[in-house]
Amino acid sequence: MALETEIKLSLTASTARRLPAHGLLSGSKPLQQKLVNTYYDTPDRRLQRKRLAVRYRQKGSEWLLTVKSDAPLPGGLAQRREWEVAGQPGEFDFSHVDSPKLRRFLEAAQPELVPVFTTDFTRSLWVLTPQEGTRIELALDRGKIVAGDRQAVICEVELELLEGKVADLFVIALALQADLPMHPESASKAERGYRLAADERLLPCRAANVQLEMGMSSVGIFRATAFSCLAQLQGNERGVLETDAPEFIHQARVAIRRLRSAIRLWRPLLPPDYVTDFDPRWRTLANAMGDTRNWDVFITEILPPINQAFPEHADLQRLTEQARRQLAGCRQAAQKAIAAPAYSQLLLSFTAATLALPESKKPPVSAFVPRSLNKRAKRVAELANETKNGTPEARHALRVALKRLRYALEFFAPLFPARRMQRYHQSAAGLLDLLGRMNDSAVAEQLAEQALPGHPSDLVRGWLAGRNDLMLGQLDALLGQFLSHPPPWEHA
């Protein structure tokens, strides 16, 4: 078995034409290869579900049977197990796979293996030796993925580590990205091929459980948490760029909010320059998408019941029209932010810096986790007492603190009994939902004024005030219910 470590970067056709002239490559002639790969799976896609790829590659007159795990990390980095042996298409001998469990799985699936999609591309290959003990293969792949009558373009750079450290890969990737627009890609060719074969429509990517392992350090848990947030963010990139569906921007903002919450949670253990460099950059990106989400909520949740009650009201018609114009402008700004080179550079540099964080056994997880959760729970309790007769600003502060506590609990969820965590989450969910709707009302009043400056609508203002009064009547009960539940970490 070989362990393949690589960074994948997508680029446009015009950038691909400029790549050979880059200072890292100029003066050296690339090796040209024509590669045609056919990927196989069972009709029920058993291999895809296990994130495995089985393919036959035609490389000149040679045929290679490859088995590869497909478990990319965010920020363009992927580390995959790979088994490769010479063979003939249609013959599947998996005796070279040195994992008995995996070999038995593949042999059981072998009688049902059928072609699913192909990749057909030309590879231009350079081997870089930036220093003694470091060898990196740079491959520029240009071609297509074909599944039935559907096709998708391949135009990407793969940087594979042949010898050296993972950090060396990022040095080269960042040097290329400094001069040429390239975007870190989390999806492999196999993943793209499966999507094309299934003709899958884009779906929003929601937060997944953080994958923790026994013996991880506190910084190791942060690294896993940060990469989980990046995976959610990158999982929504195409939806933000290619659709007007509100949920993609919402989930992208959730990912950034979770990431910034993680940086704050682990701040005492992180290098100061790491925090001061990256937290403001993530905040800037979140702000670029924040207005879009606010206008989406205003148009899809706030205005419809008012319009239904007063369908002919002139103020509402003008307000709806202006709100849609505001939304269109904000969505363009959000798409521009995601498409900007600054975002691509942030993904790559943040991934590199997070991988390079120094490990330490102190403080132990058993001490760091309860201390961090207690700090956030204490802040929530303080704000809850202030909120009972407080202002919209106080309620918003409570909502922010409660979200930070909830995110921390989600990050550490595998460390606690699931039943206790579930009860605590349920008690927080109703309170967060109510505080969210109250915040939406406060923001809606500001947006109504922004949409029709100098022409405030008494109808909208009155409707929002009545809605807020109803929610205030529910607040005390939900606060009491949440505060009555014992924190699950106290019994861990």
Side-chain angles (χ1 to χ4, degrees):
M1 179 195 78
L3 181 65
E4 178 186 69
T5 302
E6 67 179 23
I7 292 176
K8 187 185 296 290
L9 303 163
S10 63
L11 64 167
T12 63
S14 60
T15 301
R17 289 192 291 271
R18 293 163 53 197
L19 178 65
H22 191 275
L24 290 173
L25 308 179
S26 60
S28 59
K29 189 174 181 180
L31 172 68
Q32 298 282 342
Q33 297 176 335
K34 175 71 171 177
L35 300 175
V36 180
N37 306 279
T38 301
Y39 288 77
Y40 295 81
D41 204 337
T42 59
D44 61 356
R45 301 295 188 260
R46 259 173 277 163
L47 274 63
Q48 182 188 15
R49 290 200 300 273
K50 282 192 171 288
R51 300 192 68 86
L52 292 170
V54 169
R55 76 179 184 211
Y56 256 106
R57 164 171 286 181
Q58 184 179 11
K59 189 177 178 182
S61 60
E62 185 181 20
W63 290 91
L64 296 172
L65 172 63
T66 304
V67 176
K68 186 182 291 193
S69 66
D70 185 26
L73 295 172
L77 180 67
Q79 291 184 307
R80 301 182 176 95
R81 297 175 299 159
E82 183 180 65
W83 296 264
E84 195 163 65
V85 68
Q88 288 296 321
E91 298 177 1
F92 297 98
D93 180 358
F94 296 115
S95 59
H96 66 295
V97 177
D98 58 5
S99 167
K101 184 177 179 180
L102 176 57
R103 185 171 64 249
R104 287 194 297 271
F105 171 80
L106 291 169
E107 288 173 346
Q110 186 269 332
E112 299 179 63
L113 292 178
V114 292
V116 180
F117 59 91
T118 63
T119 61
D120 183 345
F121 56 90
T122 298
R123 170 166 287 178
S124 301
L125 199 64
W126 295 262
V127 176
L128 309 180
T129 54
Q131 59 197 20
E132 186 177 351
T134 301
R135 291 172 61 244
I136 294 170
E137 183 180 273
L138 188 156
L140 170 62
D141 294 342
R142 299 193 63 182
K144 60 188 177 181
I145 304 172
V146 180
D149 57 357
R150 292 184 291 275
Q151 295 187 7
V153 172
I154 295 174
C155 190
E156 61 191 29
V157 163
E158 290 183 358
L159 295 168
E160 183 176 350
L161 186 65
L162 303 180
E163 183 182 1
K165 299 175 293 185
V166 175
D168 299 327
L169 275 182
F170 282 94
V171 171
I172 297 297
L174 289 165
L176 291 170
Q177 199 185 53
D179 300 317
L180 298 169
M182 296 183 176
H183 184 70
E185 284 292 341
S186 60
S188 66
K189 292 183 182 73
E191 186 176 343
R192 293 181 61 203
Y194 274 116
R195 285 204 305 251
L196 189 68
D199 197 19
E200 291 179 355
R201 65 185 182 92
L202 282 174
L203 292 173
C205 179
R206 291 171 170 77
N209 291 333
V210 180
Q211 299 300 309
L212 304 184
E213 299 174 3
M214 292 293 294
M216 290 179 76
S217 67
S218 296
V219 169
I221 294 177
F222 169 75
R223 188 180 292 114
T225 301
F227 287 163
S228 174
C229 296
L230 285 192
Q232 182 187 6
L233 174 59
Q234 290 202 262
N236 289 289
E237 287 173 352
R238 285 184 60 214
V240 171
L241 291 170
E242 298 174 14
T243 79
D244 292 339
E247 191 63 17
F248 290 104
I249 284 182
H250 175 52
Q251 291 301 326
R253 288 185 70 227
V254 168
I256 300 172
R257 208 160 49 224
R258 286 167 57 85
L259 179 56
R260 296 189 64 218
S261 184
I263 292 173
R264 286 181 171 85
L265 182 66
W266 272 274
R267 187 197 300 265
L269 309 185
L270 300 175
D273 57 347
Y274 177 94
V275 177
T276 56
D277 180 16
F278 290 111
D279 189 54
R281 293 164 72 182
W282 288 119
R283 182 179 64 239
T284 298
L285 181 63
N287 290 341
M289 292 189 285
D291 288 342
T292 308
R293 175 61 182 170
N294 290 337
W295 284 110
D296 271 326
V297 171
F298 186 71
I299 290 172
T300 62
E301 298 180 20
I302 300 295
L303 285 181
I306 310 178
N307 273 311
Q308 187 175 4
F310 304 96
E312 304 299 329
H313 201 285
D315 279 0
L316 290 177
Q317 293 174 359
R318 289 199 303 273
L319 183 57
T320 300
E321 181 180 342
Q322 289 299 321
R324 286 174 177 158
R325 291 179 181 174
Q326 293 279 354
L327 174 59
C330 290
R331 179 168 282 119
Q332 287 179 357
Q335 291 169 335
K336 185 177 179 181
I338 288 291
Y343 170 61
S344 300
Q345 292 162 3
L346 175 56
L347 283 174
L348 196 59
S349 59
F350 180 78
T351 301
T354 303
L355 283 168
L357 288 171
E359 290 281 359
S360 174
K361 294 183 179 180
K362 297 182 179 180
V365 173
S366 59
F368 176 73
V369 171
R371 184 168 69 233
S372 301
L373 293 175
N374 282 330
K375 179 181 177 181
R376 276 152 185 77
K378 182 180 178 182
R379 178 61 175 159
V380 168
E382 291 170 351
L383 290 171
N385 289 324
E386 296 174 10
T387 299
K388 291 180 179 179
N389 298 304
T391 62
E393 291 75 18
R395 292 191 291 273
H396 178 66
L398 171 61
R399 177 171 171 257
V400 170
L402 190 55
K403 277 189 174 183
R404 288 177 179 170
L405 174 60
R406 186 188 69 179
Y407 292 152
L409 284 167
E410 290 174 354
F411 299 153
F412 299 135
L415 305 177
F416 302 109
R419 186 173 296 177
R420 289 183 187 141
M421 288 293 295
Q422 185 179 18
R423 287 199 296 264
Y424 196 73
H425 272 299
Q426 287 174 344
S427 68
L431 179 57
L432 269 172
D433 178 67
L434 180 65
L435 290 169
R437 286 185 283 121
M438 295 180 82
N439 182 69
D440 290 343
S441 289
V443 171
E445 191 166 344
Q446 299 170 10
L447 296 182
E449 174 62 30
Q450 183 179 337
L452 296 175
H455 297 84
S457 171
D458 291 337
L459 173 63
V460 173
R461 186 175 296 171
W463 180 281
L464 292 173
R467 183 176 186 257
N468 199 58
D469 287 343
L470 289 172
M471 290 187 289
L472 278 172
Q474 306 170 34
L475 184 58
D476 280 353
L478 288 174
L479 278 170
Q481 181 182 351
F482 172 72
L483 294 174
S484 68
H485 281 272
W489 61 90
E490 293 183 357
H491 303 276

